[in-house]
Amino acid sequence: MAIKIGDLAKRSGCEVVTIRYYEKEGLLPKPARSGGNFRLYSDVHIERLQFIRHCRSLDMTLSEIRTLLSLRDNPAQDCDDVIALLDTHVKQVNVRVEALLQLRQYLLLLRGQCSGARSVQACGILHELSNCNCNYVTSSKTGATTPEQSGS
């Protein structure tokens, strides 16, 4: 089966510009060309694009995806490298989750600065945001940088 890039985009739910970008980055193999020099894609491209999109939905970087594709293209290889890559990715996700939880805590503290039923001029949230009285601290556990209210 040979399809043009527009059909590949429709079948995959991926923008044409993204498909071209993945090609340029070496994530998708170069397609065959028609007599009129149109790109002609096959089932291999569809499947590989679905793999890439699934990895992206898991927030993997293009570098991680490139590594996984390389490993996948060598099926006789041991999967220890795949496991190590995923373990590293999970650790990175944990760091981001911790940073988001700390951000949430700060936003809730900030939210506590105003009870409503006030004019915007007297809004405690806006007052605190204007004061810039926050320090940025790095969690020794996660390495994430988050704001912390000074004096708290």
Side-chain angles (χ1 to χ4, degrees), residues 75-91:
Q77 214 172 321
D78 191 72
C79 72
D80 286 344
D81 290 339
V82 175
I83 294 167
L85 185 144
L86 194 63
D87 287 346
T88 300
H89 189 67
V90 168
K91 287 176 187 173

Side-chain angles (χ1 to χ4, degrees), residues 86-105:
L86 194 63
D87 287 346
T88 300
H89 189 67
V90 168
K91 287 176 187 173
Q92 292 167 346
V93 168
N94 286 337
V95 167
R96 290 177 32 222
V97 166
E98 181 62 30
L100 286 171
L101 288 172
Q102 289 179 11
L103 174 61
R104 180 180 180 271
Q105 182 180 2

Side-chain angles (χ1 to χ4, degrees), residues 82-152:
V82 175
I83 294 167
L85 185 144
L86 194 63
D87 287 346
T88 300
H89 189 67
V90 168
K91 287 176 187 173
Q92 292 167 346
V93 168
N94 286 337
V95 167
R96 290 177 32 222
V97 166
E98 181 62 30
L100 286 171
L101 288 172
Q102 289 179 11
L103 174 61
R104 180 180 180 271
Q105 182 180 2
Y106 175 70
L107 291 171
L108 289 171
L109 287 170
L110 189 60
R111 172 58 184 93
Q113 299 298 313
C114 190
S115 61
R118 296 180 182 184
S119 68
V120 170
Q121 184 178 10
C123 179
I125 296 169
L126 293 176
H127 177 72
E128 288 299 317
L129 290 172
S130 296
N131 281 339
C132 296
N133 284 337
C134 61
N135 297 317
Y136 289 89
V137 295
T138 301
S139 168
S140 59
K141 217 186 323 181
T142 65
T145 301
T146 57
E148 187 173 279
Q149 190 70 22
S150 64
S152 297

Side-chain angles (χ1 to χ4, degrees), residues 13-28:
C14 195
E15 298 288 330
V16 168
V17 67
T18 304
I19 294 169
R20 288 186 178 136
Y21 178 73
Y22 289 159
E23 264 182 57
K24 186 180 116 198
E25 290 295 312
L27 298 173
L28 284 176

Side-chain angles (χ1 to χ4, degrees), residues 22-74:
Y22 289 159
E23 264 182 57
K24 186 180 116 198
E25 290 295 312
L27 298 173
L28 284 176
K30 297 285 182 195
R33 294 284 185 159
S34 70
N37 205 28
F38 289 104
R39 293 175 169 100
L40 298 176
Y41 297 90
S42 68
D43 288 337
V44 170
H45 292 95
I46 294 170
E47 188 278 327
R48 195 166 177 106
L49 187 55
Q50 288 170 340
F51 181 88
I52 293 167
R53 287 180 45 89
H54 190 183
C55 290
R56 291 294 295 145
S57 76
L58 299 173
D59 208 30
M60 291 184 179
T61 65
L62 294 183
S63 176
E64 289 170 324
I65 296 168
R66 188 175 290 107
T67 299
L68 289 173
L69 287 168
S70 175
L71 291 165
R72 197 179 77 147
D73 290 343
N74 295 293

